[in-house]
Amino acid sequence: MPESTETMSRRSLLIAGGAAATTAATTGGSSAEETEPQGSRSGGDAGRARIDVHHHFTAPAWVDWAEREGLVRREELPWWARWDVDSALALMDRVGIATAVLNPTMQDRYRSAAQAREGLTVVFEALADLVAAHPGRFAVLGPAVLDHSDVTTWALQHAFDELGAVGVSAKANYNGVYLGDPSYDHFLAQLDERATVLFTHPLDLPSGPPGVPTVPGIPNFMCDFLLDSTRAAVNMIRTGTLDRYPHVSVVLPHAGGFLPAIATRMKAFGSFCTPPLDAARVQDHLHRFYYDTAGPSAPSGTLVATAGADRILFGTDWPAASADIITGFTVPAVETDPVFTDRQRRGINRDNALRLMPTLKRNSMPAPVDDR
């Protein structure tokens, strides 16, 4: 895929961040019984059969439709909306991704419920064709358009019953109202009934013009996106969302944003929230979220201590993150981090996702047999 100046700027910023993270890598976190010999950290053959839970998908057919509807201008689309199957498969093969879980993007641009339903129909047809053409390589998340609750109900039924979706995707906030707010109870009740997985994703913080940096010179994805995810997670903890909907599993992208880093702060100052949070409730919820590695993630000592390695899922953020970032930083962040044992790497690369989303076992490519 050709890259714009904007793409290269984002890449250079991410690479700089990844280099700093690598320098600051921590040790510890594994028991003596689990420690593996240096040099065997590939996680065995499971490292060649990864499941990528954070793969953005913008259907080319949807772009054609949206341009006709006046919702987008093709030449103004960001680089991550220019998805094509050949580039995606090339990246997957390059880093050993057996199956990518597709998260449909650009679903917040509809002007009406009728238009949303029409646009989602285009997306669903594209997903069905793609899954059929490449068996085992792609799984599907059902997109939620929470601005149109009736459409979301229809979309969930179609995604699960017709496409075999393995989960649902939703933004961290809609018009400044964050996940965890009671206004989303009907949506979450539907997910709870299906015992499904909710993948959240951040965007710009509320109140600012879309795409305009909050701090000049610092792209919003660098800091604001992480805060957006953190706000959603803290709000779900505050409102007891996981208690009220115990069959919903929530995946936080980018290693949970700032959540692991402020875990102790939340326990110490939780009494200042409304309603007050006690430390035990915070600790319980931290161990109930799942966290993906897209970003790329920083050294993982704090995350493992906060949530446990069995709650971490491999994710790339493709195509928002380029192939060079994924191969140079995202994959090494898992493969060379001294915190992880080989067993934990196998879990992150594949097994944790299969345990969380059992239907992936039917839809994904099998792992190669480890015949060592």
Side-chain angles (χ1 to χ4, degrees), residues 112-328:
S112 67
Q115 190 178 60
R117 187 165 179 142
E118 183 179 346
L120 285 169
T121 298
V122 175
V123 173
F124 289 149
E125 289 175 352
L127 286 168
D129 291 345
L130 186 63
V131 170
H134 303 278
R137 300 311 304 271
F138 299 107
V140 174
L141 296 181
V145 285
L146 296 184
D147 296 341
H148 305 289
S149 60
D150 290 344
V151 176
T152 291
T153 298
W154 165 80
L156 292 179
Q157 292 172 344
H158 187 98
F160 283 107
D161 300 338
E162 302 297 327
L163 291 178
V166 299
V168 177
S169 66
K171 295 191 300 182
N173 84 84
Y174 289 79
N175 300 316
V177 180
Y178 278 87
L179 293 175
D181 188 89
S183 61
Y184 302 124
D185 281 356
H186 177 63
F187 167 64
L188 290 169
Q190 294 177 82
L191 303 190
D192 193 69
E193 185 176 351
R194 291 182 178 268
T196 194
V197 184
L198 173 61
F199 286 80
T200 67
H201 199 280
L203 282 172
D204 296 335
L205 296 176
S207 76
V212 176
T214 303
V215 180
I218 302 177
N220 288 341
F221 62 76
M222 188 66 67
C223 302
D224 291 14
F225 279 27
L226 303 181
L227 178 57
D228 199 39
S229 291
T230 305
R231 285 178 171 179
V234 172
N235 202 44
M236 284 188 276
I237 294 173
R238 183 186 68 85
T239 60
T241 297
L242 301 184
D243 292 329
R244 290 183 291 122
Y245 303 103
H247 303 112
V248 177
S249 299
V250 177
V251 179
L252 303 175
H254 312 125
F258 301 126
L259 186 67
I262 66 168
T264 301
R265 185 178 181 86
M266 288 181 64
K267 295 175 186 178
F269 295 105
S271 60
F272 289 89
C273 292
T274 306
L277 291 175
D278 60 55
R281 182 175 175 185
V282 172
Q283 182 69 15
D284 174 62
H285 278 67
L286 292 171
H287 283 275
R288 290 166 68 182
F289 289 118
Y290 287 82
Y291 307 77
D292 78 34
T293 66
S297 62
S300 301
T302 298
L303 178 57
V304 171
T306 298
D310 62 340
R311 314 296 285 191
I312 304 175
L313 310 169
F314 180 79
T316 65
D317 215 354
W318 172 267
S322 71
D324 288 345
I325 291 171
I326 292 167
T327 58

